[in-house]
Structures are given as structure tokens and as C-alpha cells.
Amino acid sequence: MESTAGAGRLLAISDLHITYPENRELVGKMRPETDQDWLIVAGDIAETVADIRWTLETLAGRFRKVLWAPGNHDLWTHPKDPVTLRGVARYEHLVELCRELGVVSPEDPYPVWEGPGGPVVVAPLFLLYDYSFLPAGCATKEEGLAYAHGTGVVCNDEYLLHPDPYPTREAWCRARVEATERRLAELPEDLPTVLAGHYPLDRHPTDVLWYPEFAMWCGTTLTADWHRRFRVDTMVYGHLHIPRTTWHEGVRFEEVSVGYPREWRKRSRPPGELRRILPMEVGTGDRGAAPGLGGGRGDAR
Ligand SMILES: [Fe+2]
Ligand SMILES: [Fe+2]
């Protein structure tokens, strides 16, 4: 395991969606606060490899260390991308890109943050989802999908995120969960962790979604006890485009999404602010705080 001494901050952001020129501008302005800062990028950079490369290269040139976890948009085989790789092959292509740029991906040894608030293992995760966050009244994926098609709230992953060579996205998810679980179980038991993926480990953040059926594309119940099992200090995620802090069984969950311009324009905070994960900011420790920040959304499909 790699270890880095020194001061600095562990920062996080996700859902940069730089296909929007306004969001690309935000990335252009992102800077570390100290020369020791690490940055977690928790998925949904863009739909093309070229845009993902530009973003990671830009950020890796500024931060001491950048850690990346894939989002569903990064894994889409989008008609506008000349890179036509699908599923695992596309993911592995992005992992190779990270290696070339010196960015830590979920396939690398998990580094240890030894700055303020550390030592903490920082693990970028790629776990996907398996349709187990079902809408109320639905008992199976089939029922859930039928309901979603009825309401018209269907994630574009159904058309663009291919699981090849796995038969289904949920089979790919199960394989990712098993492999990741093994690695996390091997970590030293005296080290807490920051687990950072595109999806929340626990379902509770999806409770405020405007369209509850969208939760099917937001995670898996297989990780519901990971925040306890793996000594999680903070769970970092994105995808819902509802940036906020919640506390679940004493564990901090941080959604760090930027989201689309039409979403961030409605928020009171300036867009593109990097969220500080460690050391914990004064005020974040209020375990009763779970602001809804205007409720859910349904347009990040
Ligand atoms: Fe997103
Ligand atoms: Fe997403």
C-alpha cells in the first residue's frame, strides 16, 4: 500500500458533466488549496474518452494525487464517441488512461491519506447497481422496470451502458462487489477508510429522489453494511445530483455532485466547489443535519 506524508486536504467532487461548456469552465477553475491536496473524482466526467482525458489530465496536473471512480456516463458507449468499446473493455480502457496520467483508479492499490485527519485508506470503488433499490410495491427487477417504463423515468443506461462480456449489468455489479469486498476485507483492521464511488453504499440518500423509481439505477443492497464492516470514516458518492451531507448509523455520507447547469443554477452555493472530506470541517459534525437542499431530481437520466 502506498503512503504519503504531509499536510493538505482530501477533497472530492463528482458529476462534472463537462460536455456542458459551463461545467468545463468550472473544471478549468478548480485548484487545490495546498500543494499537498488530493482530489477524488467520483464519476460522470463525460461521455467521451477525449473529454475524460482532458479532465483527468487537467486535474492531475494541479493536485498532488487524483483518484477516479467511474460513473455511468463515463461507461456509456455513446454514439458521439469515436471510441466504441463496450462494457468491461471500455472500463479497462479508462483504467489504462488513468495509469498513463498517474491517476489512481479502482484497480490500483488503495493509497493511505496521511495528511490531517489521517491515516485513512482512500478506496475508489467501481460497484455499479443491480436494481435492488426497488420502488415501493415492486418485488422484482421486472416489476420495477415495468413500473419505470410506465412513468417514463428510465435511465439511459438501459440503452448505452453495455455489460459485455457479462450477460447483464447486475451480473457485472455482483462480480465487482465480490472482488471489492475481498480487497476491503484484507485491509489492516486498525485503519479507517474513505470509500468513494459513484453510487451510495446505502439506499438512504435515494429517499429524497423526485422520481423514486430512479433508485433502481443508484446502487445495490449488497453493500448496505459496508460502512460498518469496513470502518468507514466517510462515504463519498455522486450520481443523484443532490449534493448534501447525511449521517447514517454514525457514518458521514457526502454527495459531492456538481450536476447539470440547470440544476446548479438553482442552488445557493457557488457551483464547482470542492468538498472537503478530511480534515472534517467544523459544522459538518452536526449529526442531525440532513438538509434536503430542494429535494430530488429526475433529469439526470
Ligand atoms: Fe451525473
Ligand atoms: Fe451518474
mmCIF file of all heavy atoms in Angstrom, residues 6-41:
data_model
loop_
_atom_site.group_PDB
_atom_site.id
_atom_site.type_symbol
_atom_site.label_atom_id
_atom_site.label_comp_id
_atom_site.label_asym_id
_atom_site.label_seq_id
_atom_site.Cartn_x
_atom_site.Cartn_y
_atom_site.Cartn_z
ATOM 1 N N GLY A 6 2.612 14.302 5.021
ATOM 2 C CA GLY A 6 2.498 15.733 4.738
ATOM 3 C C GLY A 6 1.161 16.302 5.121
ATOM 4 O O GLY A 6 0.264 15.596 5.571
ATOM 5 N N ALA A 7 1.035 17.616 4.952
ATOM 6 C CA ALA A 7 -0.209 18.298 5.269
ATOM 7 C C ALA A 7 -1.111 18.300 4.041
ATOM 8 O O ALA A 7 -0.821 17.661 3.050
ATOM 9 C CB ALA A 7 0.085 19.719 5.712
ATOM 10 N N GLY A 8 -2.215 19.031 4.121
ATOM 11 C CA GLY A 8 -3.069 19.152 2.947
ATOM 12 C C GLY A 8 -4.493 18.760 3.239
ATOM 13 O O GLY A 8 -4.882 18.570 4.395
ATOM 14 N N ARG A 9 -5.253 18.649 2.165
ATOM 15 C CA ARG A 9 -6.667 18.340 2.306
ATOM 16 C C ARG A 9 -7.059 17.234 1.353
ATOM 17 O O ARG A 9 -6.582 17.207 0.221
ATOM 18 C CB ARG A 9 -7.481 19.589 1.988
ATOM 19 C CG ARG A 9 -7.284 20.569 3.096
ATOM 20 C CD ARG A 9 -8.033 21.830 2.953
ATOM 21 N NE ARG A 9 -7.823 22.539 4.213
ATOM 22 C CZ ARG A 9 -7.775 23.831 4.363
ATOM 23 N NH1 ARG A 9 -7.962 24.601 3.340
ATOM 24 N NH2 ARG A 9 -7.569 24.379 5.534
ATOM 25 N N LEU A 10 -7.953 16.387 1.826
ATOM 26 C CA LEU A 10 -8.553 15.385 0.955
ATOM 27 C C LEU A 10 -9.880 15.974 0.479
ATOM 28 O O LEU A 10 -10.781 16.204 1.280
ATOM 29 C CB LEU A 10 -8.771 14.078 1.725
ATOM 30 C CG LEU A 10 -9.473 12.976 0.932
ATOM 31 C CD1 LEU A 10 -8.661 12.540 -0.287
ATOM 32 C CD2 LEU A 10 -9.734 11.761 1.831
ATOM 33 N N LEU A 11 -9.962 16.238 -0.823
ATOM 34 C CA LEU A 11 -11.127 16.922 -1.396
ATOM 35 C C LEU A 11 -11.869 15.973 -2.343
ATOM 36 O O LEU A 11 -11.301 14.969 -2.789
ATOM 37 C CB LEU A 11 -10.666 18.165 -2.170
ATOM 38 C CG LEU A 11 -9.853 19.177 -1.348
ATOM 39 C CD1 LEU A 11 -9.157 20.181 -2.258
ATOM 40 C CD2 LEU A 11 -10.752 19.891 -0.350
ATOM 41 N N ALA A 12 -13.113 16.306 -2.658
ATOM 42 C CA ALA A 12 -13.885 15.431 -3.553
ATOM 43 C C ALA A 12 -14.869 16.233 -4.389
ATOM 44 O O ALA A 12 -15.366 17.290 -3.971
ATOM 45 C CB ALA A 12 -14.634 14.372 -2.738
ATOM 46 N N ILE A 13 -15.144 15.660 -5.557
ATOM 47 C CA ILE A 13 -16.129 16.255 -6.478
ATOM 48 C C ILE A 13 -16.645 15.112 -7.362
ATOM 49 O O ILE A 13 -15.990 14.082 -7.479
ATOM 50 C CB ILE A 13 -15.472 17.369 -7.335
ATOM 51 C CG1 ILE A 13 -16.496 18.247 -8.034
ATOM 52 C CG2 ILE A 13 -14.498 16.787 -8.350
ATOM 53 C CD1 ILE A 13 -16.820 19.506 -7.299
ATOM 54 N N SER A 14 -17.790 15.284 -7.969
ATOM 55 C CA SER A 14 -18.278 14.272 -8.915
ATOM 56 C C SER A 14 -19.247 14.922 -9.890
ATOM 57 O O SER A 14 -19.586 16.104 -9.757
ATOM 58 C CB SER A 14 -18.999 13.137 -8.178
ATOM 59 O OG SER A 14 -20.292 13.552 -7.787
ATOM 60 N N ASP A 15 -19.666 14.137 -10.847
ATOM 61 C CA ASP A 15 -20.685 14.587 -11.803
ATOM 62 C C ASP A 15 -20.320 15.924 -12.448
ATOM 63 O O ASP A 15 -21.117 16.865 -12.462
ATOM 64 C CB ASP A 15 -22.072 14.614 -11.137
ATOM 65 C CG ASP A 15 -22.496 13.207 -10.709
ATOM 66 O OD1 ASP A 15 -21.980 12.717 -9.676
ATOM 67 O OD2 ASP A 15 -23.281 12.585 -11.424
ATOM 68 N N LEU A 16 -19.101 15.961 -12.960
ATOM 69 C CA LEU A 16 -18.597 17.184 -13.599
ATOM 70 C C LEU A 16 -19.316 17.453 -14.923
ATOM 71 O O LEU A 16 -19.465 18.604 -15.326
ATOM 72 C CB LEU A 16 -17.090 17.071 -13.821
ATOM 73 C CG LEU A 16 -16.268 16.969 -12.523
ATOM 74 C CD1 LEU A 16 -14.825 16.576 -12.824
ATOM 75 C CD2 LEU A 16 -16.304 18.291 -11.755
ATOM 76 N N HIS A 17 -19.722 16.385 -15.618
ATOM 77 C CA HIS A 17 -20.504 16.517 -16.859
ATOM 78 C C HIS A 17 -19.987 17.649 -17.752
ATOM 79 O O HIS A 17 -20.718 18.596 -18.069
ATOM 80 C CB HIS A 17 -21.998 16.715 -16.522
ATOM 81 C CG HIS A 17 -22.628 15.497 -15.933
ATOM 82 N ND1 HIS A 17 -22.845 14.346 -16.652
ATOM 83 C CD2 HIS A 17 -23.068 15.229 -14.663
ATOM 84 C CE1 HIS A 17 -23.406 13.423 -15.874
ATOM 85 N NE2 HIS A 17 -23.536 13.930 -14.662
ATOM 86 N N ILE A 18 -18.712 17.521 -18.145
ATOM 87 C CA ILE A 18 -18.070 18.638 -18.847
ATOM 88 C C ILE A 18 -18.504 18.784 -20.305
ATOM 89 O O ILE A 18 -18.033 19.684 -21.001
ATOM 90 C CB ILE A 18 -16.542 18.572 -18.769
ATOM 91 C CG1 ILE A 18 -16.005 17.407 -19.604
ATOM 92 C CG2 ILE A 18 -16.049 18.507 -17.337
ATOM 93 C CD1 ILE A 18 -14.750 17.789 -20.329
ATOM 94 N N THR A 19 -19.410 17.937 -20.757
ATOM 95 C CA THR A 19 -19.992 18.156 -22.084
ATOM 96 C C THR A 19 -20.674 19.521 -22.125
ATOM 97 O O THR A 19 -20.765 20.147 -23.172
ATOM 98 C CB THR A 19 -20.996 17.033 -22.397
ATOM 99 O OG1 THR A 19 -20.357 15.779 -22.109
ATOM 100 C CG2 THR A 19 -21.432 17.053 -23.845
ATOM 101 N N TYR A 20 -21.151 19.965 -20.966
ATOM 102 C CA TYR A 20 -21.701 21.322 -20.859
ATOM 103 C C TYR A 20 -20.544 22.309 -20.745
ATOM 104 O O TYR A 20 -19.738 22.193 -19.807
ATOM 105 C CB TYR A 20 -22.605 21.452 -19.623
ATOM 106 C CG TYR A 20 -23.862 20.624 -19.729
ATOM 107 C CD1 TYR A 20 -23.877 19.300 -19.314
ATOM 108 C CD2 TYR A 20 -25.027 21.170 -20.257
ATOM 109 C CE1 TYR A 20 -25.015 18.522 -19.430
ATOM 110 C CE2 TYR A 20 -26.178 20.408 -20.369
ATOM 111 C CZ TYR A 20 -26.163 19.086 -19.957
ATOM 112 O OH TYR A 20 -27.299 18.321 -20.077
ATOM 113 N N PRO A 21 -20.446 23.276 -21.677
ATOM 114 C CA PRO A 21 -19.318 24.218 -21.641
ATOM 115 C C PRO A 21 -19.198 24.939 -20.296
ATOM 116 O O PRO A 21 -18.088 25.177 -19.814
ATOM 117 C CB PRO A 21 -19.640 25.216 -22.760
ATOM 118 C CG PRO A 21 -20.594 24.500 -23.659
ATOM 119 C CD PRO A 21 -21.341 23.516 -22.809
ATOM 120 N N GLU A 22 -20.329 25.234 -19.655
ATOM 121 C CA GLU A 22 -20.275 25.902 -18.341
ATOM 122 C C GLU A 22 -19.569 25.022 -17.315
ATOM 123 O O GLU A 22 -18.883 25.514 -16.425
ATOM 124 C CB GLU A 22 -21.689 26.215 -17.824
ATOM 125 C CG GLU A 22 -22.543 27.058 -18.759
ATOM 126 C CD GLU A 22 -23.437 26.190 -19.634
ATOM 127 O OE1 GLU A 22 -22.955 25.176 -20.194
ATOM 128 O OE2 GLU A 22 -24.621 26.521 -19.772
ATOM 129 N N ASN A 23 -19.796 23.709 -17.419
ATOM 130 C CA ASN A 23 -19.167 22.801 -16.466
ATOM 131 C C ASN A 23 -17.682 22.615 -16.776
ATOM 132 O O ASN A 23 -16.860 22.505 -15.873
ATOM 133 C CB ASN A 23 -19.884 21.437 -16.485
ATOM 134 C CG ASN A 23 -21.205 21.480 -15.733
ATOM 135 O OD1 ASN A 23 -21.840 22.525 -15.654
ATOM 136 N ND2 ASN A 23 -21.624 20.362 -15.190
ATOM 137 N N ARG A 24 -17.341 22.616 -18.062
ATOM 138 C CA ARG A 24 -15.926 22.540 -18.438
ATOM 139 C C ARG A 24 -15.177 23.756 -17.865
ATOM 140 O O ARG A 24 -14.066 23.637 -17.366
ATOM 141 C CB ARG A 24 -15.794 22.501 -19.964
ATOM 142 C CG ARG A 24 -14.349 22.357 -20.425
ATOM 143 C CD ARG A 24 -14.250 22.409 -21.940
ATOM 144 N NE ARG A 24 -14.644 21.163 -22.554
ATOM 145 C CZ ARG A 24 -13.786 20.276 -23.068
ATOM 146 N NH1 ARG A 24 -12.493 20.513 -23.051
ATOM 147 N NH2 ARG A 24 -14.214 19.174 -23.625
ATOM 148 N N GLU A 25 -15.853 24.893 -17.904
ATOM 149 C CA GLU A 25 -15.249 26.111 -17.331
ATOM 150 C C GLU A 25 -14.997 25.950 -15.830
ATOM 151 O O GLU A 25 -13.993 26.437 -15.307
ATOM 152 C CB GLU A 25 -16.195 27.308 -17.513
ATOM 153 C CG GLU A 25 -15.866 28.184 -18.700
ATOM 154 C CD GLU A 25 -16.891 29.296 -18.843
ATOM 155 O OE1 GLU A 25 -17.114 30.024 -17.850
ATOM 156 O OE2 GLU A 25 -17.483 29.391 -19.933
ATOM 157 N N LEU A 26 -15.929 25.296 -15.157
ATOM 158 C CA LEU A 26 -15.750 25.074 -13.715
ATOM 159 C C LEU A 26 -14.495 24.255 -13.454
ATOM 160 O O LEU A 26 -13.713 24.546 -12.545
ATOM 161 C CB LEU A 26 -16.966 24.360 -13.115
ATOM 162 C CG LEU A 26 -18.304 25.104 -13.136
ATOM 163 C CD1 LEU A 26 -19.411 24.210 -12.576
ATOM 164 C CD2 LEU A 26 -18.221 26.393 -12.324
ATOM 165 N N VAL A 27 -14.293 23.197 -14.266
ATOM 166 C CA VAL A 27 -13.095 22.369 -14.100
ATOM 167 C C VAL A 27 -11.850 23.215 -14.351
ATOM 168 O O VAL A 27 -10.842 23.104 -13.640
ATOM 169 C CB VAL A 27 -13.129 21.151 -15.047
ATOM 170 C CG1 VAL A 27 -11.800 20.405 -15.029
ATOM 171 C CG2 VAL A 27 -14.273 20.219 -14.668
ATOM 172 N N GLY A 28 -11.929 24.091 -15.351
ATOM 173 C CA GLY A 28 -10.793 24.959 -15.659
ATOM 174 C C GLY A 28 -10.377 25.814 -14.480
ATOM 175 O O GLY A 28 -9.217 26.213 -14.363
ATOM 176 N N LYS A 29 -11.338 26.089 -13.593
ATOM 177 C CA LYS A 29 -11.042 26.967 -12.441
ATOM 178 C C LYS A 29 -10.693 26.184 -11.172
ATOM 179 O O LYS A 29 -10.372 26.788 -10.155
ATOM 180 C CB LYS A 29 -12.267 27.831 -12.136
ATOM 181 C CG LYS A 29 -12.544 28.895 -13.194
ATOM 182 C CD LYS A 29 -13.721 29.751 -12.710
ATOM 183 C CE LYS A 29 -14.463 30.346 -13.894
ATOM 184 N NZ LYS A 29 -15.884 30.535 -13.630
ATOM 185 N N MET A 30 -10.823 24.873 -11.202
ATOM 186 C CA MET A 30 -10.600 24.100 -9.970
ATOM 187 C C MET A 30 -9.126 24.066 -9.599
ATOM 188 O O MET A 30 -8.288 23.693 -10.409
ATOM 189 C CB MET A 30 -11.111 22.663 -10.145
ATOM 190 C CG MET A 30 -12.602 22.565 -10.006
ATOM 191 S SD MET A 30 -13.231 20.939 -10.435
ATOM 192 C CE MET A 30 -14.994 21.333 -10.490
ATOM 193 N N ARG A 31 -8.841 24.443 -8.373
ATOM 194 C CA ARG A 31 -7.458 24.481 -7.896
ATOM 195 C C ARG A 31 -7.386 23.882 -6.489
ATOM 196 O O ARG A 31 -8.342 23.990 -5.722
ATOM 197 C CB ARG A 31 -6.940 25.930 -7.805
ATOM 198 C CG ARG A 31 -6.827 26.656 -9.133
ATOM 199 C CD ARG A 31 -5.616 26.173 -9.933
ATOM 200 N NE ARG A 31 -5.350 26.973 -11.122
ATOM 201 C CZ ARG A 31 -6.084 26.996 -12.234
ATOM 202 N NH1 ARG A 31 -7.191 26.269 -12.308
ATOM 203 N NH2 ARG A 31 -5.741 27.734 -13.267
ATOM 204 N N PRO A 32 -6.237 23.283 -6.156
ATOM 205 C CA PRO A 32 -6.066 22.819 -4.774
ATOM 206 C C PRO A 32 -5.913 24.000 -3.832
ATOM 207 O O PRO A 32 -5.617 25.115 -4.275
ATOM 208 C CB PRO A 32 -4.772 22.000 -4.843
ATOM 209 C CG PRO A 32 -4.034 22.523 -6.028
ATOM 210 C CD PRO A 32 -5.068 23.019 -7.000
ATOM 211 N N GLU A 33 -6.138 23.740 -2.536
ATOM 212 C CA GLU A 33 -5.928 24.786 -1.528
ATOM 213 C C GLU A 33 -4.488 24.767 -1.038
ATOM 214 O O GLU A 33 -3.962 25.781 -0.598
ATOM 215 C CB GLU A 33 -6.880 24.567 -0.342
ATOM 216 C CG GLU A 33 -8.352 24.702 -0.738
ATOM 217 C CD GLU A 33 -9.291 24.294 0.390
ATOM 218 O OE1 GLU A 33 -8.980 24.533 1.565
ATOM 219 O OE2 GLU A 33 -10.348 23.696 0.077
ATOM 220 N N THR A 34 -3.851 23.600 -1.075
ATOM 221 C CA THR A 34 -2.436 23.490 -0.703
ATOM 222 C C THR A 34 -1.762 22.584 -1.731
ATOM 223 O O THR A 34 -2.443 21.874 -2.487
ATOM 224 C CB THR A 34 -2.253 22.852 0.700
ATOM 225 O OG1 THR A 34 -2.376 21.427 0.565
ATOM 226 C CG2 THR A 34 -3.273 23.364 1.700
ATOM 227 N N ASP A 35 -0.443 22.560 -1.725
ATOM 228 C CA ASP A 35 0.238 21.713 -2.712
ATOM 229 C C ASP A 35 0.263 20.242 -2.308
ATOM 230 O O ASP A 35 0.862 19.417 -2.988
ATOM 231 C CB ASP A 35 1.655 22.249 -3.005
ATOM 232 C CG ASP A 35 2.534 22.254 -1.762
ATOM 233 O OD1 ASP A 35 2.081 21.754 -0.700
ATOM 234 O OD2 ASP A 35 3.668 22.753 -1.845
ATOM 235 N N GLN A 36 -0.416 19.935 -1.185
ATOM 236 C CA GLN A 36 -0.493 18.536 -0.737
ATOM 237 C C GLN A 36 -1.881 17.936 -0.962
ATOM 238 O O GLN A 36 -2.129 16.808 -0.559
ATOM 239 C CB GLN A 36 -0.179 18.453 0.768
ATOM 240 C CG GLN A 36 1.212 18.943 1.143
ATOM 241 C CD GLN A 36 2.294 18.012 0.622
ATOM 242 O OE1 GLN A 36 2.185 16.800 0.766
ATOM 243 N NE2 GLN A 36 3.318 18.561 0.007
ATOM 244 N N ASP A 37 -2.776 18.686 -1.565
ATOM 245 C CA ASP A 37 -4.176 18.231 -1.645
ATOM 246 C C ASP A 37 -4.363 17.055 -2.604
ATOM 247 O O ASP A 37 -3.771 17.025 -3.689
ATOM 248 C CB ASP A 37 -5.084 19.374 -2.109
ATOM 249 C CG ASP A 37 -5.245 20.459 -1.068
ATOM 250 O OD1 ASP A 37 -4.613 20.356 -0.007
ATOM 251 O OD2 ASP A 37 -6.001 21.406 -1.339
ATOM 252 N N TRP A 38 -5.220 16.141 -2.178
ATOM 253 C CA TRP A 38 -5.675 15.060 -3.047
ATOM 254 C C TRP A 38 -7.108 15.381 -3.477
ATOM 255 O O TRP A 38 -7.866 16.008 -2.721
ATOM 256 C CB TRP A 38 -5.724 13.732 -2.302
ATOM 257 C CG TRP A 38 -4.403 13.135 -1.935
ATOM 258 C CD1 TRP A 38 -3.173 13.742 -1.949
ATOM 259 C CD2 TRP A 38 -4.193 11.798 -1.451
ATOM 260 N NE1 TRP A 38 -2.218 12.866 -1.505
ATOM 261 C CE2 TRP A 38 -2.812 11.668 -1.198
ATOM 262 C CE3 TRP A 38 -5.033 10.713 -1.207
ATOM 263 C CZ2 TRP A 38 -2.258 10.483 -0.714
ATOM 264 C CZ3 TRP A 38 -4.491 9.532 -0.724
ATOM 265 C CH2 TRP A 38 -3.114 9.419 -0.489
ATOM 266 N N LEU A 39 -7.473 14.899 -4.675
ATOM 267 C CA LEU A 39 -8.840 15.102 -5.164
ATOM 268 C C LEU A 39 -9.451 13.785 -5.618
ATOM 269 O O LEU A 39 -8.882 13.093 -6.472
ATOM 270 C CB LEU A 39 -8.851 16.105 -6.333
ATOM 271 C CG LEU A 39 -10.238 16.381 -6.933
ATOM 272 C CD1 LEU A 39 -11.144 17.084 -5.925
ATOM 273 C CD2 LEU A 39 -10.119 17.210 -8.215
ATOM 274 N N ILE A 40 -10.610 13.479 -5.061
ATOM 275 C CA ILE A 40 -11.404 12.328 -5.507
ATOM 276 C C ILE A 40 -12.379 12.819 -6.573
ATOM 277 O O ILE A 40 -13.084 13.811 -6.357
ATOM 278 C CB ILE A 40 -12.215 11.737 -4.331
ATOM 279 C CG1 ILE A 40 -11.285 11.160 -3.260
ATOM 280 C CG2 ILE A 40 -13.213 10.695 -4.827
ATOM 281 C CD1 ILE A 40 -11.990 10.917 -1.914
ATOM 282 N N VAL A 41 -12.434 12.129 -7.715
ATOM 283 C CA VAL A 41 -13.415 12.440 -8.762
ATOM 284 C C VAL A 41 -14.326 11.218 -8.880
ATOM 285 O O VAL A 41 -13.941 10.187 -9.433
ATOM 286 C CB VAL A 41 -12.731 12.760 -10.108
ATOM 287 C CG1 VAL A 41 -13.771 13.106 -11.168
ATOM 288 C CG2 VAL A 41 -11.722 13.897 -9.949
#
